[in-house]
Amino acid sequence: MDFLIGWIAIIPSYAAPLLLASLGLIICERAGVLNLGAEGLVAVSAMTGAMTVLSGADPWVGLAAGSAAAMALALLFAISTVALRANHTLAGLAVVAIGLGITGVVGRPYVQKTFSGISTLGDLFGIDRGSALGRIFAVQDPVTLALPILVGALWWWLSKSRRGLRLRSVGENPAAADVAGIDVQLVQFGAVLASGLFCGLAGAYLSVATSHVWVEGMVASRGWIAVALVIFSRWNAARALWGALLFGSADALVPRLQAIGADVPVYLMMTLPYLLTLVVLVAGSLGGRRSGEPAFLGRVYLRQDKQ
């Protein structure tokens, strides 16, 4: 029972970076821009958040700084794909290379320096850890507590609001959206920057709230898992929550097994989230055009008078 409670308690913190990054990608790809640069965005924000806190700033400032750094890199991606109409796949891979390269050079002096992260609910409100629910809720933080609300708000915005429907129309049929008076490039620019914001929160949360340290390579392909999670969720924010919990529970299983000294092949267990990623990608490819995928995803739109 103690193992189960401890495992459940840490799942939200492992799921949070995956969920935040996938929500950003959903917004971006609903607007028709294929974003494969999540790994680079998350890495840059994780490094920036850790550096900010190690420089003496508040952890919440570290989250903001990490988000700003990822948005700056996302702006470069937006200029390349939306303004200059570069190939989305190649531009995304370039963002990954740039992001990982920056972290390898700039973040080197800060490697392995620990710091204090954001406070948990137990620290803030003195939650009694005597019961099972108390042990689970005490280790949560304001970010994990707010995530279900954020998911619900984003789902409503994309599905019910006028601006959300406009964004989705750009991803489905930009020519029709253009005729209707929607500024396609402006909507796509905003969507790409939003993906940078969410991926930035994901990376900064990973270093500031979860790990309390910066280590090169600590992102460990979470950006790519987020890409698979978007496919798994069929570009739906509500489904992304359950998918993130599934992937996060697999990721959280390894430290719990290590904590109890279980005689299991730990390195084999560490591959579980990546095996899930492969299963999701293969299942999506076998289904042909994936249900929920924006019709114009990854394609460059040119107005008729410019063709």
Side-chain angles (χ1 to χ4, degrees):
M1 181 60 72
D2 287 341
F3 172 82
L4 181 61
I5 293 173
W7 179 44
I8 294 174
I10 65 173
I11 286 176
S13 63
Y14 279 82
L18 300 176
L19 178 59
L20 287 167
S22 65
L23 292 179
L25 296 182
I26 287 172
I27 295 173
C28 185
E29 297 187 3
R30 277 293 188 183
V33 182
L34 177 64
N35 190 347
L36 298 181
E39 183 78 1
L41 299 174
V42 173
V44 164
S45 60
M47 178 201 69
T48 305
M51 288 172 52
T52 303
V53 178
L54 286 169
S55 299
D58 184 84
W60 292 101
V61 177
L63 289 178
S67 301
M71 288 183 70
L73 188 55
L75 177 60
L76 177 63
F77 177 70
I79 292 173
S80 301
T81 55
V82 179
L84 302 180
R85 299 182 177 86
N87 181 277
H88 294 190
T89 300
L90 296 179
L93 295 178
V95 167
V96 173
I98 292 171
L100 295 180
I102 290 174
T103 59
V105 176
V106 179
R108 191 166 300 166
Y110 298 90
V111 171
Q112 297 289 1
K113 294 182 179 180
T114 59
F115 52 85
S116 298
I118 62 177
S119 299
T120 63
L121 298 183
D123 297 329
L124 292 171
F125 304 109
I127 297 177
D128 181 19
R129 303 184 184 222
S131 63
L133 284 177
R135 290 174 58 187
I136 292 173
F137 279 99
V139 298
Q140 306 309 317
D141 55 59
V143 175
T144 56
L145 197 64
L147 282 178
I149 301 173
L150 177 62
V151 169
L154 181 58
W155 175 86
W156 179 88
W157 186 79
L158 286 172
S159 303
K160 307 297 182 181
S161 75
R162 185 175 180 180
R163 290 184 180 274
L165 292 175
R166 284 185 172 186
L167 181 143
R168 291 176 59 186
S169 70
V170 169
E172 293 294 337
N173 192 334
D178 199 358
V179 171
I182 299 173
D183 190 328
V184 174
Q185 284 195 329
L186 182 61
V187 169
Q188 290 185 331
F189 248 98
V192 174
L193 291 180
S195 72
L197 172 64
F198 278 88
C199 287
L201 284 173
Y205 182 87
L206 180 63
S207 61
V208 173
T210 303
S211 304
H212 303 165
V213 68
W214 163 249
V215 179
E216 188 177 348
M218 67 181 294
V219 174
S221 298
R222 285 178 174 84
W224 294 114
I225 294 176
V227 172
L229 183 54
V230 172
I231 300 172
F232 176 86
S233 65
R234 298 180 181 178
W235 290 265
N236 183 291
R239 290 195 187 104
L241 173 60
W242 301 111
L245 290 173
L246 173 63
F247 280 77
S249 62
D251 205 10
L253 190 59
V254 176
R256 290 307 303 166
L257 292 173
Q258 290 176 320
I260 64 174
D263 186 17
V264 294
V266 174
Y267 288 104
L268 181 60
M269 291 299 298
M270 290 174 66
T271 65
L272 187 56
Y274 308 104
L275 290 175
L276 283 174
T277 303
L278 288 175
V279 170
V280 168
L281 292 175
V282 170
S285 65
L286 291 177
R289 182 178 180 272
R290 295 175 286 275
S291 176
E293 178 183 346
F296 215 79
L297 179 62
R299 298 165 62 185
V300 176
Y301 170 66
L302 294 173
R303 298 184 66 176
Q304 290 298 322
D305 57 358
K306 293 184 179 180
Q307 289 181 341

